[in-house]
Amino acid sequence: MEYQLPRLTKMWTHLERQAGGKVKGMGEKQIEVDKRILRTQISALRKELESVRQHRKQYRNRRLSVPVPVVSLVGYTNAGKSTLLNQLTGADVLAEDQLFATLDPTTRRVQINNGMEFLLTDTVGFIQKLPTMLVAAFRATLEEISESSLLVHVVDISHPLASQQIDAVNKVLDDLDVELIPKLMVWNKVDKADDPERVKIEAEEKGAICLSAINGDGLEQFCFAVQAKLKDAMVPVEACIPYDKGELLNTIHQVGMVEGTEYTESGTVIRGHVPLPLARLLTPMRQRVTELTNMDKSV
């Protein structure tokens, strides 16, 4: 509609326009009516977009209360992000060979074999030279990216313009100001590449993960890579969890990486890595470990 608004003038050239000394012609009156209708519809859509933003914000705030790491799939349109989400989670997200098949972000829980969990979010596919007005329209979806613990950049490596698509996605990510969020490069559709073995060797050199989302090849390696990246983004902690806080201890095992456990009179001493929100929640218990350690030294 914003595209149409300044172009209405040429739509009514077949009708009479204002002439010297005369009132407005039918064509000019119709242009003003159409502009007013378009402005009204644009205003209504902006309000609707704002309500969607608020709705998505409530979802994000609810997720923050349960500190599970959030992994967002980003990439060029038709790179295979929705197919990857479906393979990992058993979701039934629309996966079509078309532009912007995914518009609304979809989030599902993924559990790795060692018991660790994270949330996987599918986002809208990017395109080259994404118009500013479209970026504004996709804001509700793109805001999901800024709240992520890890960004997984999915690339259709079989596409002849894969490198240009990578540059286009990186440019949009730069505009979103998410350079501080860790990223993992994933080369999808390796089975469709001209020389899959050469692609795998090149991916290993560049630190990328090769997989085929459609048939499930490489998913286990992908999960290990996500786990390693999430660990880098986590905070090392040592905390004494009271025995009456069993639910909190269970959360640490689910969303963190426990490297050592010790049972004492005061509670369970946990050593490992946890997401930052959970680390803040454990601050009083981390101080308690320090006090217990000092007491042991004094004894």
Side-chain angles (χ1 to χ4, degrees), residues 13 28 33 74 76 95 100 112 115 128 134 171 175 223 226 275:
T13 52
E28 192 155 15
V33 171
V74 299
Y76 207 80
F100 302 139
I112 306 177
Q128 286 182 323
L134 273 184
K171 186 177 185 307
D175 293 340
C223 289
V226 169

Side-chain angles (χ1 to χ4, degrees), residues 5-298:
L5 192 59
R7 292 169 175 81
L8 289 176
T9 306
K10 295 181 180 179
M11 294 177 61
W12 299 103
T13 52
H14 60 288
L15 294 180
E16 58 179 312
R17 302 293 299 277
Q18 183 176 1
K22 294 184 179 180
V23 295
K24 293 181 179 180
M26 288 301 296
E28 192 155 15
K29 290 180 182 177
Q30 188 61 50
I31 289 172
E32 291 176 353
V33 171
D34 286 355
K35 281 186 176 181
R36 186 165 64 249
I37 292 173
L38 271 181
R39 288 194 185 101
T40 302
Q41 291 176 330
I42 289 172
S43 178
L45 284 173
R46 287 189 185 280
K47 290 179 181 178
E48 191 175 343
L49 277 172
E50 186 59 32
S51 68
V52 171
R53 289 183 63 185
Q54 294 301 323
H55 184 66
R56 300 301 311 180
K57 187 177 180 180
Q58 289 176 359
Y59 270 110
R60 289 195 296 272
N61 290 338
R62 198 180 304 169
R63 286 204 300 262
L64 286 174
S65 63
V66 182
V68 181
V70 178
V71 178
S72 289
L73 299 174
V74 299
Y76 207 80
T77 187
N78 198 35
K81 299 181 295 299
S82 298
T83 305
L84 179 58
L85 178 75
N86 290 338
Q87 276 282 6
L88 286 169
T89 66
D92 191 21
V93 177
L94 177 67
E96 294 288 344
D97 185 6
Q98 65 183 45
L99 192 65
F100 302 139
T102 300
L103 286 176
D104 192 43
T106 303
T107 302
R108 294 290 184 271
R109 187 182 293 264
V110 178
Q111 186 168 21
I112 306 177
N113 292 335
N114 63 1
M116 182 191 175
E117 294 182 348
F118 61 88
L119 297 178
L120 190 64
T121 298
D122 185 19
T123 61
V124 64
F126 302 155
I127 62 171
Q128 286 182 323
K129 299 178 182 178
L130 188 65
T132 307
M133 64 183 72
L134 273 184
V135 173
F138 292 156
R139 182 64 60 183
T141 300
L142 298 178
E143 280 179 351
E144 296 288 319
I145 296 174
S146 61
E147 301 292 335
S148 304
S149 305
L150 173 67
L151 298 182
V152 175
H153 184 173
V154 182
V155 180
D156 177 4
I157 200 61
S158 66
H159 197 283
L161 301 177
S163 59
Q164 288 93 322
Q165 292 181 354
I166 292 173
D167 293 338
V169 172
N170 288 334
K171 186 177 185 307
V172 176
L173 292 177
D174 290 341
D175 293 340
L176 293 173
D177 195 24
V178 292
E179 64 273 2
L180 296 179
I181 300 178
K183 298 177 183 63
L184 174 65
M185 181 71 76
V186 171
W187 288 4
N188 189 26
K189 305 185 184 182
V190 177
D191 53 319
K192 291 185 178 181
D194 296 333
D195 188 352
E197 293 303 321
R198 181 186 59 80
V199 170
K200 289 179 181 179
I201 294 173
E202 188 178 347
E204 190 173 350
E205 293 174 352
K206 296 186 176 181
I209 303 297
C210 281
L211 57 82
S212 174
I214 194 69
N215 56 33
D217 291 342
L219 289 184
E220 187 174 356
Q221 184 187 4
F222 168 75
C223 289
F224 286 139
V226 169
Q227 185 177 6
K229 283 285 186 179
L230 287 176
K231 182 178 179 180
D232 292 341
M234 290 184 182
V235 179
V237 295
E238 182 178 0
C240 181
I241 314 299
Y243 288 116
D244 59 349
K245 301 279 188 182
E247 186 176 341
L248 180 59
L249 187 62
N250 185 48
T251 301
I252 294 172
H253 279 280
Q254 281 184 334
V255 305
M257 298 180 184
V258 178
E259 297 165 355
T261 305
E262 183 181 343
Y263 299 98
T264 65
E265 293 182 3
S266 303
T268 306
V269 176
I270 289 284
R271 298 178 185 86
H273 292 74
V274 297
L276 182 58
L278 185 55
R280 289 171 178 161
L281 190 65
L282 293 173
T283 299
M285 301 168 194
R286 295 167 72 182
Q287 293 171 348
R288 191 174 180 182
V289 168
T290 305
E291 292 172 1
L292 289 172
T293 304
N294 292 335
M295 288 174 60
D296 291 341
K297 289 180 179 178
S298 62

